[in-house]
Amino acid sequence: KLTADTRAAGTKVSPNLYGVFYEDINHAADGGLYAELVQNRSFEFNSTDEPSYTGLTAWSKAERGATAALTVSGEQPLNPNNRNHLRLEVTGGGTAGVVNAGFNRGLALKAGERYDLSLWARRDSAATLTVTAEAGTAVLGKASVRVKAGGWTKYRASFTASATTDAGRLVIQAPEGRTDLDMVSLFPRETYKGHGMRADLAKLIADLKPRFLRFPGGCVTNVGTYDPYSLNQDRRRIYQWKETIGPVEERPANFNFWGYNQSYGIGYHEYFQFAEDIGAEALPVLSVGVNGCGENRPLTDEAKLARWVQDTLDLIEYANGPVTSTWGKKRAEMGHPKPFGLEYIGLGNEEIYPEFFTNYPKFADAVRAKYPKIKIISNSGQTSQGAWFDRMWQFARDQKADLVDEHYYNNPDWFLANNHRYDTYDRSGPKVFVGEYASRGNVFSNALAEASFLTGVERNSDVIELASYAPLLANVDYVDWTPDLIWFDNDQAYGSPSYHVQRLFSRHVGDRVLPSSFTGEARPVEDIRGAVGLGSWRTQVRYDDVKVTAADGSVLLAEDFSAGAPGWTPGPGTWTAEDGAYTQSALVEDARSTAGSAGWSNYTIEVTARKTGGDEG
Ligand code: AHR
């Protein structure tokens, strides 16, 4: 029997309690939420970022009667942020060109839908380019682009797909001569509310009825170098919001923390717009000049730090300023004169370095002084960081932060045992933002444990103002991290069991939690655990030696990293072990490429490793 005291005042539930945390991890943006169908549209993939990349990643020749030579050129680029383009030389009389393979299996096209092509081209003589969308031997759509003689010009065309495919390709053919191409883009005309997000994925997110959208990360917000692309050749830069607004062809690409090229087609403006489109508050997280996620090169140069502080203030002006302000004007130029109504700002993400204590106040004080109504979110890192977590919390209290962002990725046992975690939290200090959490184990026990845990979150939502599961999105073919809430490939998407728990809680949130009691048979939680199986764990190690031996005894890889190696942390040297199975994609790729593609082979992998942290089980 369940009894609720309907006359009691109960606990007021935070109106913003359930939200989502979006990070560009697991290729969530390009090939995912961003509806762009062309991969590497600006030819900026680079082998210095990732050995398997070239400027022609996802591109190949289409020779149909003539010969095509493809090079990636930096000569007189489209603009200083878009440094490379494709140089196509056609010889032999007929036409020839390039093919883009798209993402996953290829381009996903739907019969009867309209597709919009745009590209920048440059030629010495006028010519007509033929653009086709193809699958197997069939042509599903066709358009022509008349290129005039002269410098870089943007061209547009469109077509309707005559059939449905998830394995299409885009072919561009040119006649004899040289054609320079850049920013080759193909979009479905139908995107979520017309703002460029893939409709099915955006709808799955919107269906959660999230009250806020935390973005853009996570580790992508604070790992890398601090200089903008214009000053620095380093392509692995911390997310800098100013690089991500304005015309897409002027946004530099980045090589993000999760080890892949990021186009910034979804940039800050698109995040704000998306938040508005799904009825959520935008909640940006910015770096305070201290890294997290296993790497630190703190920003101590005062002049550079001042630029970052100013960028933070400018972001608030971009979101909320009048159109007469410098940054409000830029927002208006992007098509949104009305302010976005930003209320929260996150300063930092999982910094485990003392420089945080020096840098954070510079940002927080500046925001407080200029925008006293903005709620400032400090962070405590992950619960697994033990004493450091407590120290970060104390610092946030001392700083009078409005909220503290807590993270935990623990096993289902932990979530079941922590239902009462917040019952005794101090009600007088900062509120809690559970900015990242997920149970890591069997998917069904995860969902059950999270549901149990959320009853505790809701019961304590006088002190917990915001909560978001993480990560949100994962492309099935490019996985950096599991579990994730929504899975997709190029034409399908579904929510995990945890997604349905989020949906249930978020769509049925009440105003107050009434005191209640239950009498009846209490079934021990252990019974459920026995049925679904538990026992996952997670840790991080650095490896000292790695040796891969094929079945015939030949050594495919023998690396001694004991003296340290470039890219150790957090690059290829960080291994994530889940359910006892180690995965390390770079290593597996090495083994495969050495062995050829003759089918399955046996390898013995010996690893000498040292644990470096993150032990949560
Ligand atoms: O959600 C995945 C990662 O977990 C985030 O990028 C980071 O903040 C945390 O360590």
Side-chain angles (χ1 to χ4, degrees):
K1 187 180 166 199
L2 182 64
T3 314
D5 180 355
T6 53
R7 283 164 309 179
T11 304
K12 190 174 178 311
V13 176
S14 160
N16 290 336
L17 186 59
Y18 297 110
V20 288
F21 164 46
Y22 171 90
E23 176 167 25
D24 191 353
I25 182 174
N26 305 312
H27 289 240
D30 297 322
L33 188 58
Y34 188 45
E36 173 65 80
L37 297 174
V38 176
Q39 188 177 177
N40 187 18
R41 66 183 177 186
S42 62
F43 307 94
E44 296 297 320
F45 279 43
N46 195 308
S47 61
T48 55
D49 295 338
E50 150 61 45
S52 68
Y53 281 172
T54 73
L56 290 174
T57 293
W59 293 95
S60 57
K61 287 181 194 179
E63 293 184 320
R64 294 166 180 183
T67 303
L70 310 182
T71 47
V72 174
S73 166
E75 193 187 317
Q76 294 178 300
L78 191 54
N79 60 61
N81 286 338
N82 194 332
R83 295 177 183 166
N84 299 306
H85 56 269
L86 173 71
R87 177 150 288 177
L88 165 66
E89 307 260 8
V90 176
T91 49
T95 61
V98 273
V99 182
N100 189 271
F103 297 92
N104 297 94
R105 283 161 53 82
L107 307 188
L109 302 171
K110 275 194 208 141
E113 287 209 0
R114 198 88 188 140
Y115 292 87
D116 293 320
L117 172 97
S118 64
L119 54 82
W120 288 76
R122 177 171 66 182
R123 270 186 70 96
D124 288 341
S125 58
T128 299
L129 309 184
T130 306
V131 181
T132 45
E134 304 177 2
T137 53
V139 173
L140 309 187
K142 189 169 180 181
S144 296
V145 175
R146 182 74 189 156
V147 177
K148 59 184 189 201
W152 286 115
T153 307
K154 186 172 183 178
Y155 299 94
R156 297 173 197 276
S158 61
F159 60 82
T160 300
S162 59
T164 297
T165 182
D166 67 350
R169 59 188 182 273
L170 183 72
V171 183
I172 301 171
Q173 294 183 74
E176 183 103 6
R178 173 191 289 177
T179 310
D180 287 340
L181 291 171
D182 208 348
M183 288 302 287
V184 180
S185 168
L186 185 69
F187 261 79
R189 182 150 307 168
E190 191 206 326
T191 60
Y192 191 72
K193 301 201 174 174
H195 291 133
M197 302 296 179
R198 193 174 122 177
D200 60 338
L201 284 176
K203 184 169 181 312
L204 272 171
I205 299 170
D207 281 352
L208 292 169
K209 291 209 180 303
R211 312 309 192 279
F212 65 88
L213 172 74
R214 175 178 178 239
F215 66 89
C219 294
V220 302
T221 61
N222 66 353
V223 181
T225 54
Y226 300 94
D227 282 343
Y229 191 51
S230 55
L231 290 185
N232 197 331
Q233 298 297 313
D234 193 333
R235 303 165 68 88
R236 192 163 186 233
R237 305 175 311 286
I238 295 185
Y239 205 105
Q240 303 184 40
W241 78 269
K242 286 182 180 172
E243 291 192 340
T244 74
I245 59 163
V248 283
E249 67 275 10
E250 289 174 17
R251 303 179 191 181
N254 199 1
F255 184 68
N256 81 7
F257 172 80
W258 297 107
Y260 57 86
N261 186 284
Q262 194 176 10
S263 77
Y264 287 149
I266 300 182
Y268 254 74
H269 187 86
E270 289 76 19
Y271 287 124
F272 280 124
Q273 184 64 63
F274 184 51
E276 185 175 280
D277 287 347
I278 60 175
E281 298 216 19
L283 195 164
V285 181
L286 293 111
S287 165
V288 295
V290 186
N291 299 131
C293 306
E295 150 180 315
N296 196 25
R297 8 182 178 177
L299 198 51
T300 48
D301 178 316
E302 287 297 333
K304 286 189 176 176
L305 200 57
R307 198 263 296 175
W308 277 78
V309 171
Q310 188 57 47
D311 280 0
T312 306
L313 298 177
D314 292 345
L315 177 67
I316 300 172
E317 186 175 293
Y318 185 88
N320 292 354
V323 293
T324 48
S325 64
T326 309
W327 291 97
K329 182 164 178 276
K330 290 195 193 292
R331 181 192 67 239
E333 285 163 6
M334 288 294 291
H336 201 287
K338 199 169 151 236
F340 282 114
L342 182 72
E343 286 190 284
Y344 296 97
I345 197 151
L347 297 179
N349 176 72
E350 294 190 6
E351 288 80 7
I352 50 165
Y353 304 103
E355 290 86 353
F356 183 78
F357 304 130
T358 318
N359 284 6
Y360 170 94
K362 295 177 182 157
F363 289 75
D365 292 350
V367 172
R368 282 259 184 275
K370 189 154 186 200
Y371 299 104
K373 288 196 180 137
I374 293 283
K375 289 191 183 179
I376 297 178
I377 305 172
S378 185
N379 84 95
S380 59
Q382 297 204 13
T383 49
S384 57
Q385 282 149 0
W388 183 263
F389 179 89
D390 297 337
R391 193 172 160 196
M392 291 284 278
W393 241 107
Q394 188 52 49
F395 176 73
R397 263 183 221 109
D398 297 344
Q399 286 287 313
K400 301 203 174 353
D402 296 296
L403 293 98
V404 175
D405 180 9
E406 292 191 347
H407 297 174
Y408 29 84
Y409 297 96
N410 295 333
N411 63 31
D413 264 342
W414 186 95
F415 280 88
L416 293 172
N418 276 271
N419 184 286
H420 294 279
R421 173 180 175 81
Y422 296 100
D423 291 359
T424 51
Y425 258 52
D426 174 13
R427 263 59 186 171
S428 62
K431 299 265 191 214
V432 178
F433 172 19
V434 188
E436 294 182 26
Y437 68 92
S439 169
R440 303 188 94 179
N442 168 297
V443 287
F444 293 109
S445 47
N446 288 341
L448 282 173
E450 286 154 6
S452 157
F453 184 72
L454 286 177
T455 63
V457 166
E458 202 159 298
R459 195 175 59 245
N460 285 287
S461 92
D462 55 327
V463 69
I464 304 176
E465 187 165 329
L466 313 165
S468 48
Y469 180 100
L472 181 63
L473 291 170
N475 185 317
V476 295
D477 288 332
Y478 312 98
V479 181
D480 303 307
W481 180 291
T482 59
D484 304 287
L485 210 59
I486 295 171
W487 292 83
F488 62 89
D489 63 10
N490 58 353
D491 68 337
Q492 298 182 81
Y494 67 91
S496 67
S498 295
Y499 171 88
H500 293 281
V501 167
Q502 292 291 322
R503 195 175 184 280
L504 183 69
F505 277 78
S506 180
R507 291 174 72 101
H508 301 283
V509 60
D511 302 322
R512 290 181 297 143
V513 180
L514 302 176
S516 61
S517 61
F518 174 75
T519 50
E521 187 197 349
R523 291 191 56 207
V525 170
E526 281 74 14
D527 287 353
I528 302 167
R529 293 185 305 167
V532 293
L534 286 180
S536 78
W537 55 281
R538 172 178 176 248
T539 189
Q540 287 185 330
V541 294
R542 293 163 88 157
Y543 53 86
D544 289 346
D545 290 295
V546 177
K547 190 173 166 197
V548 181
T549 317
D552 64 4
S554 57
V555 176
L556 300 173
L557 185 73
E559 303 272 20
D560 174 2
F561 291 110
S562 51
W568 237 40
T569 357
T574 302
W575 285 38
T576 302
E578 225 183 299
D579 296 333
Y582 285 95
T583 53
Q584 212 293 347
S585 55
L587 179 61
V588 174
E589 292 291 336
D590 276 345
R592 267 195 214 140
S593 55
T594 317
S597 55
W600 292 102
S601 304
N602 259 325
Y603 301 105
T604 308
I605 304 178
E606 290 170 33
V607 182
T608 315
R610 276 184 290 150
K611 183 161 78 76
T612 56
D615 193 346
E616 292 166 2

